[in-house]
Amino acid sequence: MVALGNIAVETIHAWEPPPGSVVTWAPSPASLAKVRAAPISAVPPSYMQAQHLRGFKKHAAHGLHMSRLCIAAWDIPGRCDVRAMSYIVTAHLRRHDTYHSWFECGDLDDDGGAEITRHTVNRPADITLVPTKHGEMSPQQWREFLLSTPSPLQWDCFRFAIIQYADHFTFCVSVDHLHVDAMFMGSIFAEVHMMYEALAKGAAPVALPDAGSYAAFCVRQQIYTSSLTAESPPVRAWLDFASVNQGTMPSFPLPTGDLKPGCAGALMTVPLLDEQQMNRFEDACVSAGARFSGGVFACAALTHYELTGEDTYYAITPHDTRTGPAEYMTTGWFTGMIPITVPVSPAYFGATARAAQVSFDSGAELALVPFDTVLRLAPDELGLHRPNIGFPMLSFLDAGLPPLSAMIDSALLGLNAKVYGDGDYPAQVCMWVNRMKTETSVTIFYPDNPVAHESVTEYVSVLKSVYARAAAGSALGSVA
Protein backbone atom coordinates (compact mmCIF):
# COMPACT_ATOMS: atom_id res chain seq x y z
CA MET A 1 0.00 0.00 0.00
CA VAL A 2 1.13 3.54 -0.77
CA ALA A 3 -0.15 6.90 0.41
CA LEU A 4 -1.62 9.60 -1.79
CA GLY A 5 -1.21 12.40 0.68
CA ASN A 6 -3.59 11.18 3.37
CA ILE A 7 -5.51 8.72 1.15
CA ALA A 8 -4.32 5.16 0.62
CA VAL A 9 -3.85 4.17 -3.03
CA GLU A 10 -3.26 0.54 -3.90
CA THR A 11 -4.24 -2.20 -6.29
CA ILE A 12 -7.24 -4.23 -5.26
CA HIS A 13 -5.02 -7.30 -4.87
CA ALA A 14 -3.36 -5.70 -1.84
CA TRP A 15 -6.65 -5.12 0.01
CA GLU A 16 -6.85 -7.49 2.98
CA PRO A 17 -9.98 -6.37 4.87
CA PRO A 18 -10.49 -7.84 8.36
CA PRO A 19 -13.40 -10.28 8.77
CA GLY A 20 -16.77 -8.58 8.91
CA SER A 21 -20.36 -9.06 7.76
CA VAL A 22 -20.85 -8.12 4.11
CA VAL A 23 -23.96 -6.54 2.60
CA THR A 24 -24.14 -5.88 -1.15
CA TRP A 25 -26.62 -3.96 -3.30
CA ALA A 26 -27.71 -5.02 -6.78
CA PRO A 27 -30.62 -4.14 -9.08
CA SER A 28 -33.87 -5.90 -8.29
CA PRO A 29 -35.06 -8.50 -10.83
CA ALA A 30 -37.83 -6.09 -11.88
CA SER A 31 -35.27 -3.32 -12.46
CA LEU A 32 -33.07 -5.58 -14.56
CA ALA A 33 -36.03 -6.64 -16.68
CA LYS A 34 -37.23 -3.08 -17.28
CA VAL A 35 -33.77 -1.75 -18.15
CA ARG A 36 -33.04 -4.67 -20.48
CA ALA A 37 -36.27 -3.83 -22.30
CA ALA A 38 -35.31 -0.15 -22.58
CA PRO A 39 -35.85 1.32 -26.05
CA ILE A 40 -33.11 2.45 -28.39
CA SER A 41 -32.07 6.06 -27.81
CA ALA A 42 -30.94 8.57 -30.40
CA VAL A 43 -28.38 9.91 -27.93
CA PRO A 44 -24.92 8.75 -29.05
CA PRO A 45 -22.36 7.39 -26.63
CA SER A 46 -19.70 9.93 -25.82
CA TYR A 47 -16.48 9.40 -27.72
CA MET A 48 -14.81 8.32 -24.48
CA GLN A 49 -17.52 5.70 -23.92
CA ALA A 50 -17.30 4.46 -27.49
CA GLN A 51 -13.53 4.12 -27.28
CA HIS A 52 -13.87 2.29 -23.96
CA LEU A 53 -16.43 -0.19 -25.31
CA ARG A 54 -14.37 -0.94 -28.41
CA GLY A 55 -11.23 -1.23 -26.31
CA PHE A 56 -12.95 -3.69 -24.01
CA LYS A 57 -14.05 -5.84 -26.95
CA LYS A 58 -10.56 -5.72 -28.46
CA HIS A 59 -8.93 -6.81 -25.19
CA ALA A 60 -11.53 -9.53 -24.64
CA ALA A 61 -10.92 -10.89 -28.16
CA HIS A 62 -7.27 -11.39 -27.18
CA GLY A 63 -8.10 -12.90 -23.80
CA LEU A 64 -7.02 -9.78 -21.89
CA HIS A 65 -8.61 -8.10 -18.88
CA MET A 66 -8.44 -4.37 -19.51
CA SER A 67 -8.02 -2.09 -16.53
CA ARG A 68 -11.48 -0.53 -16.25
CA LEU A 69 -12.76 -0.29 -12.67
CA CYS A 70 -12.89 2.83 -10.49
CA ILE A 71 -13.08 1.74 -6.83
CA ALA A 72 -13.38 3.93 -3.75
CA ALA A 73 -13.93 3.07 -0.09
CA TRP A 74 -14.12 4.81 3.27
CA ASP A 75 -15.22 4.09 6.84
CA ILE A 76 -18.44 5.30 8.45
CA PRO A 77 -18.95 5.09 12.23
CA GLY A 78 -21.58 2.83 13.80
CA ARG A 79 -23.78 0.07 12.43
CA CYS A 80 -25.01 0.52 8.89
CA ASP A 81 -28.69 1.37 8.56
CA VAL A 82 -29.27 -0.92 5.58
CA ARG A 83 -32.63 0.61 4.75
CA ALA A 84 -31.16 4.11 4.64
CA MET A 85 -28.22 2.98 2.53
CA SER A 86 -30.60 1.23 0.11
CA TYR A 87 -32.37 4.55 -0.37
CA ILE A 88 -29.07 6.39 -0.90
CA VAL A 89 -27.50 4.10 -3.51
CA THR A 90 -30.79 3.84 -5.39
CA ALA A 91 -31.12 7.64 -5.34
CA HIS A 92 -27.57 7.96 -6.70
CA LEU A 93 -28.38 5.81 -9.73
CA ARG A 94 -31.66 7.59 -10.38
CA ARG A 95 -30.04 11.02 -10.01
CA HIS A 96 -27.34 10.56 -12.66
CA ASP A 97 -28.56 9.79 -16.17
CA THR A 98 -25.37 8.07 -17.28
CA TYR A 99 -26.61 5.04 -15.31
CA HIS A 100 -29.91 4.97 -17.19
CA SER A 101 -28.36 3.54 -20.36
CA TRP A 102 -26.74 0.37 -21.60
CA PHE A 103 -24.99 -0.29 -24.92
CA GLU A 104 -24.86 -2.86 -27.67
CA CYS A 105 -21.45 -3.00 -29.35
CA GLY A 106 -21.21 -4.76 -32.70
CA ASP A 107 -18.27 -6.68 -34.14
CA LEU A 108 -14.99 -4.84 -34.57
CA ASP A 109 -13.91 -4.02 -38.10
CA ASP A 110 -10.33 -4.01 -39.35
CA ASP A 111 -9.81 -0.46 -38.08
CA GLY A 112 -11.11 -1.27 -34.59
CA GLY A 113 -14.44 0.44 -35.17
CA ALA A 114 -17.83 -0.99 -34.28
CA GLU A 115 -21.45 0.10 -34.36
CA ILE A 116 -22.70 1.08 -30.91
CA THR A 117 -26.37 1.39 -29.96
CA ARG A 118 -27.60 3.05 -26.77
CA HIS A 119 -30.70 1.87 -24.89
CA THR A 120 -32.15 4.20 -22.26
CA VAL A 121 -34.82 3.48 -19.65
CA ASN A 122 -37.71 5.96 -19.80
CA ARG A 123 -38.42 6.05 -16.06
CA PRO A 124 -35.44 6.35 -13.68
CA ALA A 125 -37.89 5.38 -10.91
CA ASP A 126 -37.83 1.88 -12.41
CA ILE A 127 -34.27 1.51 -11.05
CA THR A 128 -34.15 0.05 -7.55
CA LEU A 129 -31.23 -1.53 -5.71
CA VAL A 130 -31.93 -4.19 -3.11
CA PRO A 131 -29.58 -5.43 -0.36
CA THR A 132 -28.27 -8.97 0.12
CA LYS A 133 -26.61 -10.11 3.34
CA HIS A 134 -23.66 -12.45 2.79
CA GLY A 135 -22.12 -12.90 6.22
CA GLU A 136 -18.33 -12.92 6.34
CA MET A 137 -16.15 -13.04 3.24
CA SER A 138 -12.49 -13.91 3.12
CA PRO A 139 -10.21 -11.21 1.64
CA GLN A 140 -9.98 -13.27 -1.55
CA GLN A 141 -13.76 -13.55 -1.81
CA TRP A 142 -14.09 -9.80 -1.24
CA ARG A 143 -11.62 -9.00 -4.00
CA GLU A 144 -13.28 -11.47 -6.34
CA PHE A 145 -16.64 -9.84 -5.64
CA LEU A 146 -15.32 -6.40 -6.64
CA LEU A 147 -13.41 -7.70 -9.66
CA SER A 148 -16.57 -9.44 -10.87
CA THR A 149 -18.24 -6.06 -11.36
CA PRO A 150 -20.06 -6.65 -14.67
CA SER A 151 -18.44 -5.52 -17.90
CA PRO A 152 -19.34 -2.28 -19.72
CA LEU A 153 -21.40 -4.40 -22.13
CA GLN A 154 -23.88 -5.00 -19.29
CA TRP A 155 -26.09 -2.35 -17.75
CA ASP A 156 -25.36 -3.16 -14.11
CA CYS A 157 -21.60 -2.52 -14.38
CA PHE A 158 -21.44 -1.19 -10.82
CA ARG A 159 -21.19 -2.59 -7.28
CA PHE A 160 -22.10 -1.13 -3.89
CA ALA A 161 -21.25 -2.92 -0.65
CA ILE A 162 -20.33 -2.55 3.00
CA ILE A 163 -18.27 -4.59 5.46
CA GLN A 164 -19.72 -4.25 8.96
CA TYR A 165 -17.38 -4.26 11.97
CA ALA A 166 -18.03 -3.81 15.69
CA ASP A 167 -18.01 -0.01 15.77
CA HIS A 168 -17.98 1.05 12.10
CA PHE A 169 -18.47 -0.17 8.55
CA THR A 170 -16.52 0.26 5.33
CA PHE A 171 -18.56 1.53 2.40
CA CYS A 172 -17.24 0.55 -1.04
CA VAL A 173 -18.28 1.42 -4.58
CA SER A 174 -16.93 -0.07 -7.80
CA VAL A 175 -18.02 1.38 -11.15
CA ASP A 176 -16.83 0.62 -14.65
CA HIS A 177 -15.01 3.58 -16.22
CA LEU A 178 -17.82 3.70 -18.81
CA HIS A 179 -19.83 5.87 -16.41
CA VAL A 180 -17.26 7.79 -14.36
CA ASP A 181 -14.08 9.81 -14.42
CA ALA A 182 -11.78 11.04 -11.64
CA MET A 183 -14.32 13.58 -10.37
CA PHE A 184 -16.56 10.67 -9.36
CA MET A 185 -14.39 9.83 -6.35
CA GLY A 186 -15.15 13.13 -4.67
CA SER A 187 -18.75 13.58 -5.80
CA ILE A 188 -19.97 10.15 -4.68
CA PHE A 189 -18.28 10.62 -1.31
CA ALA A 190 -20.10 13.91 -0.86
CA GLU A 191 -23.45 12.45 -1.95
CA VAL A 192 -23.33 9.19 0.01
CA HIS A 193 -21.64 10.45 3.15
CA MET A 194 -23.70 13.61 3.56
CA MET A 195 -26.96 11.82 2.84
CA TYR A 196 -26.18 8.90 5.14
CA GLU A 197 -25.21 11.17 8.02
CA ALA A 198 -28.56 12.94 7.71
CA LEU A 199 -30.72 9.83 7.40
CA ALA A 200 -28.90 7.94 10.16
CA LYS A 201 -29.76 10.80 12.52
CA GLY A 202 -33.42 10.67 11.53
CA ALA A 203 -33.28 13.90 9.55
CA ALA A 204 -34.80 14.51 6.13
CA PRO A 205 -32.76 13.65 3.01
CA VAL A 206 -30.20 16.29 2.10
CA ALA A 207 -31.36 18.61 -0.67
CA LEU A 208 -28.56 18.15 -3.21
CA PRO A 209 -27.92 20.72 -5.94
CA ASP A 210 -29.40 19.76 -9.29
CA ALA A 211 -27.23 17.45 -11.35
CA GLY A 212 -26.69 18.11 -15.02
CA SER A 213 -27.29 15.67 -17.86
CA TYR A 214 -24.55 13.47 -19.27
CA ALA A 215 -26.84 12.67 -22.21
CA ALA A 216 -26.94 16.38 -23.04
CA PHE A 217 -23.14 16.43 -22.99
CA CYS A 218 -23.02 13.47 -25.42
CA VAL A 219 -25.33 15.26 -27.86
CA ARG A 220 -23.38 18.51 -27.55
CA GLN A 221 -20.12 16.67 -28.20
CA GLN A 222 -21.48 15.01 -31.34
CA ILE A 223 -22.83 18.30 -32.73
CA TYR A 224 -19.47 20.00 -32.15
CA THR A 225 -17.30 17.27 -33.63
CA SER A 226 -19.61 16.92 -36.63
CA SER A 227 -18.94 20.57 -37.43
CA LEU A 228 -15.17 20.09 -37.64
CA THR A 229 -13.08 19.73 -40.77
CA ALA A 230 -9.41 19.05 -41.39
CA GLU A 231 -8.92 22.81 -41.59
CA SER A 232 -10.50 23.60 -38.22
CA PRO A 233 -7.79 25.13 -35.98
CA PRO A 234 -8.04 22.52 -33.16
CA VAL A 235 -7.90 19.69 -35.70
CA ARG A 236 -4.89 21.27 -37.40
CA ALA A 237 -3.16 21.49 -34.02
CA TRP A 238 -3.81 17.78 -33.37
CA LEU A 239 -2.59 16.87 -36.86
CA ASP A 240 0.65 18.80 -36.32
CA PHE A 241 1.16 17.13 -32.94
CA ALA A 242 0.60 13.60 -34.26
CA SER A 243 2.77 14.23 -37.32
CA VAL A 244 5.86 14.93 -35.18
CA ASN A 245 5.10 11.81 -33.09
CA GLN A 246 5.38 9.28 -35.91
CA GLY A 247 1.76 9.77 -36.89
CA THR A 248 0.28 8.91 -33.50
CA MET A 249 0.70 9.58 -29.77
CA PRO A 250 4.03 9.99 -27.92
CA SER A 251 5.59 7.04 -26.12
CA PHE A 252 7.29 6.50 -22.77
CA PRO A 253 11.02 7.32 -23.06
CA LEU A 254 12.29 4.06 -21.52
CA PRO A 255 11.67 0.37 -22.35
CA THR A 256 8.48 -1.20 -20.97
CA GLY A 257 9.28 -4.84 -21.67
CA ASP A 258 7.14 -7.58 -23.13
CA LEU A 259 3.46 -6.67 -22.90
CA LYS A 260 2.41 -10.28 -23.31
CA PRO A 261 -1.26 -11.28 -23.01
CA GLY A 262 -2.28 -11.41 -19.39
CA CYS A 263 0.34 -8.88 -18.27
CA ALA A 264 -0.97 -7.30 -15.10
CA GLY A 265 -0.39 -3.77 -13.91
CA ALA A 266 1.73 -2.55 -11.02
CA LEU A 267 1.25 0.62 -9.02
CA MET A 268 3.94 2.84 -7.51
CA THR A 269 3.50 6.06 -5.54
CA VAL A 270 6.48 8.24 -4.62
CA PRO A 271 6.51 11.58 -2.73
CA LEU A 272 7.99 14.43 -4.76
CA LEU A 273 7.64 17.48 -2.50
CA ASP A 274 6.89 18.01 1.17
CA GLU A 275 4.83 21.00 2.32
CA GLN A 276 7.75 23.44 2.52
CA GLN A 277 9.15 22.31 -0.82
CA MET A 278 5.66 22.62 -2.31
CA ASN A 279 5.43 26.25 -1.27
CA ARG A 280 8.86 27.02 -2.69
CA PHE A 281 8.03 25.15 -5.89
CA GLU A 282 4.84 27.15 -6.36
CA ASP A 283 6.73 30.39 -5.70
CA ALA A 284 9.21 29.40 -8.42
CA CYS A 285 6.33 28.72 -10.83
CA VAL A 286 4.63 32.04 -10.10
CA SER A 287 7.91 33.95 -10.37
CA ALA A 288 8.40 32.42 -13.79
CA GLY A 289 4.95 33.50 -14.96
CA ALA A 290 3.46 30.02 -14.64
CA ARG A 291 1.22 28.10 -12.25
CA PHE A 292 1.77 24.86 -10.36
CA SER A 293 0.42 22.90 -13.35
CA GLY A 294 3.02 24.46 -15.66
CA GLY A 295 5.72 23.44 -13.18
CA VAL A 296 4.47 19.85 -13.24
CA PHE A 297 4.79 19.60 -17.03
CA ALA A 298 8.12 21.43 -16.92
CA CYS A 299 9.52 18.83 -14.51
CA ALA A 300 8.33 16.05 -16.79
CA ALA A 301 9.93 17.80 -19.77
CA LEU A 302 13.24 18.26 -17.94
CA THR A 303 13.17 14.63 -16.79
CA HIS A 304 12.59 13.53 -20.37
CA TYR A 305 15.54 15.67 -21.47
CA GLU A 306 17.86 14.20 -18.83
CA LEU A 307 16.90 10.66 -19.90
CA THR A 308 16.93 11.14 -23.69
CA GLY A 309 18.70 14.40 -24.56
CA GLU A 310 15.64 15.44 -26.60
CA ASP A 311 15.00 19.17 -26.32
CA THR A 312 11.26 19.03 -27.08
CA TYR A 313 8.87 17.14 -24.82
CA TYR A 314 5.53 15.74 -26.00
CA ALA A 315 2.84 14.44 -23.70
CA ILE A 316 -0.88 13.82 -23.39
CA THR A 317 -2.80 15.05 -20.35
CA PRO A 318 -6.47 14.59 -19.43
CA HIS A 319 -8.66 17.66 -19.03
CA ASP A 320 -12.12 17.96 -17.51
CA THR A 321 -14.52 19.40 -20.11
CA ARG A 322 -17.42 20.07 -17.72
CA THR A 323 -19.05 23.49 -18.09
CA GLY A 324 -21.24 25.21 -15.52
CA PRO A 325 -22.14 24.33 -11.92
CA ALA A 326 -24.64 21.58 -12.82
CA GLU A 327 -22.12 19.53 -14.80
CA TYR A 328 -19.67 19.72 -11.92
CA MET A 329 -22.34 17.86 -9.94
CA THR A 330 -22.81 15.29 -12.73
CA THR A 331 -21.41 11.77 -12.76
CA GLY A 332 -20.13 10.77 -16.19
CA TRP A 333 -16.99 10.54 -18.31
CA PHE A 334 -16.31 14.13 -19.33
CA THR A 335 -12.53 13.88 -19.65
CA GLY A 336 -10.86 14.88 -22.90
CA MET A 337 -7.17 14.92 -23.81
CA ILE A 338 -4.80 17.82 -24.38
CA PRO A 339 -1.57 17.42 -26.38
CA ILE A 340 1.36 19.10 -24.63
CA THR A 341 4.45 20.38 -26.45
CA VAL A 342 7.25 21.85 -24.34
CA PRO A 343 10.52 23.25 -25.72
CA VAL A 344 13.06 22.49 -23.00
CA SER A 345 15.52 25.02 -21.63
CA PRO A 346 17.83 22.50 -19.91
CA ALA A 347 19.44 24.93 -17.47
CA TYR A 348 16.31 26.84 -16.53
CA PHE A 349 13.22 25.60 -14.79
CA GLY A 350 11.45 28.95 -15.19
CA ALA A 351 11.70 29.19 -18.98
CA THR A 352 10.55 25.60 -19.35
CA ALA A 353 7.64 26.17 -16.94
CA ARG A 354 6.49 29.22 -18.89
CA ALA A 355 6.51 27.28 -22.14
CA ALA A 356 4.69 24.36 -20.53
CA GLN A 357 2.01 26.64 -19.10
CA VAL A 358 1.40 28.26 -22.48
CA SER A 359 1.04 24.85 -24.13
CA PHE A 360 -1.32 23.55 -21.46
CA ASP A 361 -3.52 26.66 -21.40
CA SER A 362 -3.69 27.10 -25.18
CA GLY A 363 -4.58 23.42 -25.64
CA ALA A 364 -7.75 23.43 -23.53
CA GLU A 365 -9.97 23.66 -26.62
CA LEU A 366 -8.29 20.57 -28.04
CA ALA A 367 -9.73 18.47 -25.20
CA LEU A 368 -13.08 18.80 -26.97
CA VAL A 369 -11.68 17.05 -30.06
CA PRO A 370 -11.33 13.24 -29.70
CA PHE A 371 -8.32 11.71 -31.43
CA ASP A 372 -10.70 9.39 -33.31
CA THR A 373 -12.23 12.49 -34.89
CA VAL A 374 -8.77 13.69 -35.87
CA LEU A 375 -8.02 10.31 -37.47
CA ARG A 376 -11.31 10.43 -39.40
CA LEU A 377 -10.53 13.90 -40.76
CA ALA A 378 -6.79 13.45 -41.35
CA PRO A 379 -5.58 13.41 -44.98
CA ASP A 380 -4.40 9.92 -45.95
CA GLU A 381 -0.95 11.16 -46.92
CA LEU A 382 -0.18 12.04 -43.28
CA GLY A 383 -0.36 8.35 -42.33
CA LEU A 384 -1.92 8.99 -38.92
CA HIS A 385 -2.93 5.95 -36.89
CA ARG A 386 -4.04 4.83 -33.44
CA PRO A 387 -1.24 3.79 -31.07
CA ASN A 388 -0.82 0.02 -31.00
CA ILE A 389 -1.03 -0.48 -27.23
CA GLY A 390 -2.39 2.77 -25.93
CA PHE A 391 -0.29 5.76 -24.93
CA PRO A 392 1.32 7.16 -21.79
CA MET A 393 -0.52 9.89 -19.96
CA LEU A 394 0.57 12.54 -17.47
CA SER A 395 -2.17 13.94 -15.28
CA PHE A 396 -2.03 16.71 -12.69
CA LEU A 397 -4.63 16.53 -9.95
CA ASP A 398 -5.04 19.28 -7.37
CA ALA A 399 -6.93 17.29 -4.75
CA GLY A 400 -7.19 20.31 -2.48
CA LEU A 401 -10.02 21.64 -4.65
CA PRO A 402 -13.66 20.48 -4.46
CA PRO A 403 -15.21 18.03 -4.96
CA LEU A 404 -12.15 15.81 -4.45
CA SER A 405 -11.19 17.82 -1.39
CA ALA A 406 -14.22 16.37 0.39
CA MET A 407 -12.74 12.91 0.13
CA ILE A 408 -9.29 14.14 1.10
CA ASP A 409 -10.73 15.81 4.18
CA SER A 410 -12.38 12.51 5.09
CA ALA A 411 -8.95 10.98 5.59
CA LEU A 412 -8.09 13.77 8.00
CA LEU A 413 -11.29 12.94 9.91
CA GLY A 414 -10.13 9.36 10.35
CA LEU A 415 -12.48 7.83 7.78
CA ASN A 416 -9.69 5.80 6.17
CA ALA A 417 -10.51 6.81 2.58
CA LYS A 418 -8.98 4.62 -0.13
CA VAL A 419 -8.79 4.57 -3.90
CA TYR A 420 -8.10 1.27 -5.64
CA GLY A 421 -7.01 0.17 -9.08
CA ASP A 422 -8.09 -3.20 -10.38
CA GLY A 423 -4.51 -4.08 -11.32
CA ASP A 424 -5.44 -5.37 -14.78
CA TYR A 425 -3.69 -4.82 -18.10
CA PRO A 426 -2.41 -1.21 -18.35
CA ALA A 427 -2.46 0.59 -21.69
CA GLN A 428 1.04 1.98 -21.14
CA VAL A 429 2.81 3.93 -18.40
CA CYS A 430 0.33 6.39 -16.89
CA MET A 431 1.27 8.97 -14.28
CA TRP A 432 -0.77 11.10 -11.89
CA VAL A 433 0.95 13.96 -10.08
CA ASN A 434 -1.24 14.65 -7.06
CA ARG A 435 -1.07 17.89 -5.12
CA MET A 436 -2.44 17.39 -1.61
CA LYS A 437 -2.53 19.77 1.34
CA THR A 438 0.85 18.76 2.75
CA GLU A 439 2.52 16.77 -0.03
CA THR A 440 2.85 16.37 -3.77
CA SER A 441 3.38 12.82 -5.01
CA VAL A 442 3.36 10.87 -8.25
CA THR A 443 1.42 7.65 -8.76
CA ILE A 444 2.44 5.50 -11.71
CA PHE A 445 0.52 2.59 -13.24
CA TYR A 446 2.72 0.46 -15.46
CA PRO A 447 3.11 -3.08 -16.87
CA ASP A 448 4.13 -5.52 -14.14
CA ASN A 449 7.31 -6.91 -15.67
CA PRO A 450 10.99 -6.53 -14.65
CA VAL A 451 11.95 -4.27 -17.56
CA ALA A 452 9.12 -1.80 -16.96
CA HIS A 453 9.76 -1.83 -13.21
CA GLU A 454 13.43 -0.95 -13.73
CA SER A 455 12.52 1.80 -16.21
CA VAL A 456 9.87 3.33 -13.97
CA THR A 457 12.23 3.23 -10.98
CA GLU A 458 14.88 5.07 -13.00
CA TYR A 459 12.35 7.58 -14.32
CA VAL A 460 10.99 8.37 -10.86
CA SER A 461 14.49 8.82 -9.45
CA VAL A 462 15.28 11.49 -12.06
CA LEU A 463 11.83 13.08 -11.72
CA LYS A 464 12.20 13.38 -7.95
CA SER A 465 15.61 15.01 -8.37
CA VAL A 466 14.23 17.54 -10.87
CA TYR A 467 11.42 18.51 -8.51
CA ALA A 468 13.83 18.91 -5.60
CA ARG A 469 16.16 21.13 -7.64
CA ALA A 470 13.25 23.21 -8.95
CA ALA A 471 11.96 23.76 -5.40
CA ALA A 472 15.45 24.64 -4.15
CA GLY A 473 16.13 27.05 -7.03
CA SER A 474 19.46 25.33 -7.65
CA ALA A 475 21.16 24.37 -10.90
CA LEU A 476 18.45 23.15 -13.25
CA GLY A 477 15.87 24.73 -10.93
CA SER A 478 16.99 28.30 -11.58
CA VAL A 479 14.22 30.76 -12.42
CA ALA A 480 14.80 32.77 -15.60
Side-chain angles (χ1 to χ4, degrees), residues 31-237:
S31 293
L32 285 171
K34 288 180 179 179
V35 176
R36 284 170 180 158
I40 292 175
S41 169
V43 175
S46 70
Y47 281 90
M48 297 77 80
Q49 289 179 315
Q51 183 183 49
H52 183 70
L53 290 164
R54 293 165 183 151
F56 178 82
K57 290 206 71 168
K58 180 179 179 180
H59 280 76
H62 291 86
L64 298 174
H65 295 283
M66 182 179 75
S67 182
R68 63 183 182 87
L69 297 179
C70 301
I71 303 171
W74 66 90
D75 293 344
I76 300 177
R79 293 200 63 81
C80 180
D81 183 328
V82 174
R83 183 180 178 187
M85 191 61 78
S86 298
Y87 170 85
I88 291 166
V89 293
T90 295
H92 176 72
L93 293 186
R94 292 177 179 179
R95 170 177 163 83
H96 297 287
D97 65 358
T98 186
Y99 297 118
H100 304 165
S101 296
W102 59 274
F103 299 93
E104 293 180 89
C105 186
D107 294 334
L108 298 176
D109 59 28
D110 292 341
D111 295 325
E115 182 177 352
I116 298 174
T117 304
R118 178 194 290 266
H119 293 255
T120 301
V121 67
N122 289 324
R123 281 173 29 92
D126 288 337
I127 298 173
T128 301
L129 296 187
V130 294
T132 301
K133 296 180 179 180
H134 296 270
E136 289 190 1
M137 286 184 180
S138 68
Q140 181 177 351
Q141 289 172 322
W142 174 251
R143 292 191 296 269
E144 288 174 353
F145 161 74
L146 293 175
L147 290 172
S148 66
T149 300
S151 84
L153 298 177
Q154 296 175 249
W155 166 61
D156 55 333
C157 54
F158 43 80
R159 298 281 201 205
F160 299 89
I162 65 142
I163 307 175
Q164 181 67 60
Y165 302 109
D167 60 352
H168 73 280
F169 61 94
T170 297
F171 175 83
C172 181
V173 55
S174 170
V175 184
D176 190 280
H177 206 339
L178 180 78
H179 291 305
V180 297
D181 56 21
M183 297 291 282
F184 150 82
M185 299 301 183
S187 62
I188 196 170
F189 172 81
E191 280 189 33
V192 171
H193 203 77
M194 289 168 52
M195 190 72 76
Y196 183 82
E197 279 192 330
L199 296 181
K201 294 174 181 176
V206 174
L208 297 168
D210 290 340
S213 168
Y214 189 65
F217 167 79
C218 294
V219 171
R220 187 171 77 239
Q221 185 186 61
Q222 184 190 54
I223 292 172
Y224 172 70
T225 55
S226 297
S227 72
L228 298 172
T229 70
E231 298 306 315
S232 300
V235 176
R236 288 296 331 161

